Amino acid sequence: MEVVFSAVISEIANRFISFLVEKYSKRIAPAMDDQMQHNLHRVLLRVGVIVEEAEGRIIRNQAMVYQLNILRKEMYRGYYTMDNFRSQANEEDKFKDHDVSQSFALSKFNPAKRLFFFSGHTHWANEVKQVTDNLNNIIVDMGEFITILKDCPPLYRPPYSMHLIVDNYMFGRQMEFDRIMNFLMIVEPPSSQGVGILPIVGPATAGKSTLVAHVSNDERVCNYFTKILFVTEDDLDKGLTTEGNGRLLAIIELTENIDEAALRRYLASATGHASVTKIIITSMSRKIMNFGTTQTLMLNFLPLEAYWYFFKVRTFGSADPNSETKLESTAMEISRDLYGSFSGSFISGSIISGLLQPRSCSLPNTLNINAQHWKMVHTFLKLLIKKTSTPTSLTAHDRANENKPVLRRRANNDEFRIYDFYHCSADGTIPKITVSDVAFGSVECEGRFEALAWMSRIPPYKNYIYACEVRKTQPKNLDC
């Protein structure tokens, strides 16, 4: 009897504390939250106008480029903070709804958890205010920037939405792009007989090759240089054999293990072959920094805030994420998993966003609003992450026989397994079926085969392919 009485008293105390917390939060939250989000959204629109206008012009002033990069990063942080704030509010609503449905039962969610969510909400509310203030201050400081920007020559671009920009242009590398362009287009003194060398160092899948391909395909570069050479490690021993007095650009792509002697001989052979010779070297190894004639460009992965902006734009396309707040919260969870496990890789983000939003020729940029579908994709991603985090200490036999990630196909519950992943050039053989088709039952297939994961629309136009397997599920015998 005493135990029951004690439990009742404890429950009354818990509910009283919960009532006070909820009453306090209700008093300040709704009106203030809406106003804070409105203020941040409004200043983000102003920032977006400045960034979009600046990216449509040729800016040669390095101080302006640096200032623009600061504004762009703060804009990404602003969107990340606003979406996180909205996601936090959605989580609180879920718990409130659960408490209402369980009002006549012992509460599963104790006051400590209520206080946890309330403190989390307060944290993001403070973040919203801080980011809003920072953006307003930056806009005030950019008065001269906006004035000078009017005199910068326009860079022709057709009108399009942000999701089309992300699809067709490299995201988040504007400052690095401008840095390479300045290196290539700078006018050397007439007496200079040297070779300009720019090393670009960064981890795998950070976008080194894609960035350089963007630069080499730029109209200004194509018109300025007489010849553009693409050099691999196998070409180093051949040396530079191009003759003439034109302008030469050589792009050397190396792996982590570089042959320094062969590279040194190749660079020595480049002297005197053209009136202007520029060389770009990309590698994961920092050893190439010793060969540069200018400061090395370090290419790192995007910060989390910028990666979320990229992933959200790719995933939702032209749809309004504000109208699908639950899906936006799921997308944010997926982007965090991608960032934590794949360091914010553009490739992994593009593949997963393609699974969330399957596009077709008949319905381009349409959004699949099936929440169950998104949960299935999230499960699929977690299985892939589990595969990639397999300890490297396993023997070859263990790795060959370990359990592969399995995804139950949506249509018929067949087992869909993922094995190797690789890429090929645009002119290589491309599978006719896609991972999305297989995973969600759009096509009938069985056994081992290859499926297209993602086809890049930007240089160097690589196609990313999975080796897959589908195993038919045997029907279970039911006892009468």
Side-chain angles (χ1 to χ4, degrees):
M1 185 69 179
E2 292 181 359
V3 174
V4 174
F5 180 75
S6 176
V8 172
I9 294 298
S10 176
E11 177 64 18
I12 293 174
N14 288 343
R15 289 179 180 242
F16 179 70
I17 295 174
S18 300
F19 169 76
L20 292 178
V21 172
E22 187 171 352
K23 182 178 180 181
Y24 178 71
S25 62
K26 282 184 176 181
R27 183 181 303 171
I28 66 170
M32 184 178 294
D33 289 357
D34 292 343
Q35 185 61 42
M36 291 174 63
Q37 289 189 58
H38 174 73
N39 291 341
L40 179 54
H41 185 255
R42 186 176 59 183
V43 72
L44 283 171
L45 290 177
R46 294 179 62 193
V47 170
V49 170
I50 299 174
V51 171
E52 184 174 347
E53 180 65 25
E55 290 179 349
R57 293 179 179 271
I58 301 174
I59 303 176
R60 296 189 175 92
N61 186 307
Q62 290 304 296
M64 291 180 65
V65 171
Y66 181 75
Q67 196 173 11
L68 175 62
N69 194 53
I70 293 175
L71 180 65
R72 191 186 293 116
K73 288 182 178 180
E74 198 66 23
M75 181 184 73
Y76 296 148
R77 181 190 172 196
Y79 277 108
Y80 179 78
T81 302
M82 184 173 65
D83 295 338
N84 243 323
F85 185 61
R86 187 165 50 239
S87 176
Q88 183 73 28
N90 291 334
E91 291 298 320
E92 290 182 2
D93 290 340
K94 289 181 184 178
F95 283 105
K96 289 178 183 178
D97 293 342
H98 187 281
D99 286 346
V100 171
S101 63
Q102 300 289 332
S103 57
F104 295 101
L106 290 177
S107 176
K108 181 180 178 180
F109 301 100
N110 57 36
K113 288 188 177 181
R114 292 176 182 274
L115 286 169
F116 171 78
F117 280 102
F118 179 70
S119 61
H121 180 88
T122 303
H123 165 75
W124 284 111
N126 293 335
E127 282 287 311
V128 169
K129 184 179 184 306
Q130 181 181 356
V131 171
T132 305
D133 292 341
N134 288 347
L135 286 171
N136 278 319
N137 292 335
I138 293 175
I139 291 175
V140 172
D141 293 340
M142 295 190 74
E144 295 84 358
F145 177 96
I146 297 172
T147 302
I148 300 174
L149 187 65
K150 298 176 183 178
D151 298 327
C152 294
L155 180 65
Y156 171 74
R157 282 181 180 175
Y160 36 48
S161 300
M162 177 55 70
H163 69 277
L164 296 178
I165 296 177
V166 172
D167 268 349
N168 296 283
Y169 293 87
M170 190 174 188
F171 175 81
R173 300 301 189 192
Q174 293 86 352
M175 187 172 181
E176 292 83 354
F177 182 91
D178 291 338
R179 163 80 188 283
I180 300 175
M181 288 296 298
N182 287 333
F183 163 75
L184 295 178
M185 307 303 290
I186 189 172
V187 179
E188 300 286 351
S191 58
S192 176
Q193 298 295 324
V195 178
I197 304 173
L198 171 63
I200 302 178
V201 179
T205 72
K208 301 183 296 296
S209 299
T210 304
L211 176 60
V212 174
H214 263 45
V215 172
S216 63
N217 279 274
D218 188 274
E219 184 178 359
R220 290 168 290 172
V221 174
C222 295
N223 292 336
Y224 182 74
F225 287 96
T226 308
K227 192 172 185 63
I228 300 177
L229 301 176
F230 294 90
V231 183
T232 64
E233 291 180 86
D234 297 333
D235 300 324
L236 292 180
D237 289 331
K238 301 176 184 177
L240 186 61
T241 57
T242 301
E243 297 180 357
N245 295 319
R247 302 185 183 95
L248 172 67
L249 169 60
I251 298 173
I252 306 174
E253 186 171 348
L254 305 176
T255 59
E256 187 172 7
N257 299 319
I258 65 172
D259 187 341
E260 295 186 62
L263 178 58
R264 190 173 290 106
R265 287 194 298 270
Y266 183 89
L267 296 178
S269 68
T271 305
H273 272 279
S275 58
V276 175
T277 302
K278 296 292 179 71
I279 297 178
I280 298 175
I281 310 175
T282 66
S283 175
M284 292 184 287
S285 173
R286 290 176 173 264
K287 293 179 180 179
I288 65 171
M289 298 172 63
N290 299 325
F291 297 91
T293 61
T294 186
Q295 184 178 2
T296 301
L297 176 59
M298 303 299 297
L299 200 66
N300 297 312
F301 291 109
L302 297 177
L304 176 59
E305 296 85 356
Y307 188 73
W308 161 240
Y309 186 86
F310 160 79
F311 185 76
K312 181 176 72 169
V313 170
R314 276 203 60 91
T315 300
F316 286 91
S318 57
D320 181 13
N322 294 335
S323 61
E324 297 292 343
T325 54
K326 292 183 179 179
L327 291 184
E328 186 182 42
S329 297
T330 303
M332 181 165 277
E333 291 179 18
I334 292 174
S335 72
R336 289 197 191 103
D337 289 342
L338 285 169
Y339 192 84
S341 301
F342 300 105
S343 303
S345 164
F346 290 111
I347 300 171
S348 59
S350 298
I351 292 174
I352 297 300
S353 69
L355 292 177
L356 292 173
Q357 183 191 9
R359 296 178 173 91
S360 65
C361 296
S362 57
L363 294 173
N365 302 311
T366 55
L367 184 65
N368 188 326
I369 59 174
N370 189 316
Q372 189 65 29
H373 172 89
W374 283 45
K375 290 181 181 178
M376 187 178 296
V377 173
H378 198 185
T379 302
F380 174 67
L381 172 62
K382 290 178 179 178
L383 290 170
L384 287 179
I385 292 173
K386 185 177 180 180
K387 174 189 175 183
T388 57
S389 60
T390 301
T392 56
S393 58
L394 293 175
T395 65
H397 179 271
D398 292 333
R399 286 195 295 270
N401 293 280
E402 65 179 332
N403 292 329
K404 299 296 182 180
V406 177
L407 175 68
R408 294 290 179 180
R409 293 217 297 169
R410 183 176 175 185
N412 48 24
N413 207 36
D414 289 343
E415 290 185 356
F416 173 42
R417 297 172 181 264
I418 293 291
Y419 292 92
D420 297 327
F421 172 72
Y422 63 94
H423 62 78
C424 66
S425 60
D427 54 357
T429 303
I430 305 174
K432 294 182 180 180
I433 59 176
T434 67
V435 171
S436 180
D437 293 333
V438 179
F440 306 111
S442 301
V443 296
E444 285 297 327
C445 47
E446 186 176 2
R448 296 288 292 266
F449 55 91
E450 293 181 340
L452 179 65
W454 178 54
M455 181 185 294
S456 175
R457 301 182 184 180
I458 61 178
Y461 304 108
K462 292 181 179 178
N463 302 306
Y464 298 87
I465 299 169
Y466 276 119
C468 313
E469 181 183 18
V470 170
R471 298 180 183 179
K472 294 294 183 181
T473 303
Q474 298 296 327
K476 295 181 180 180
N477 296 323
L478 300 178
D479 297 331
C480 298

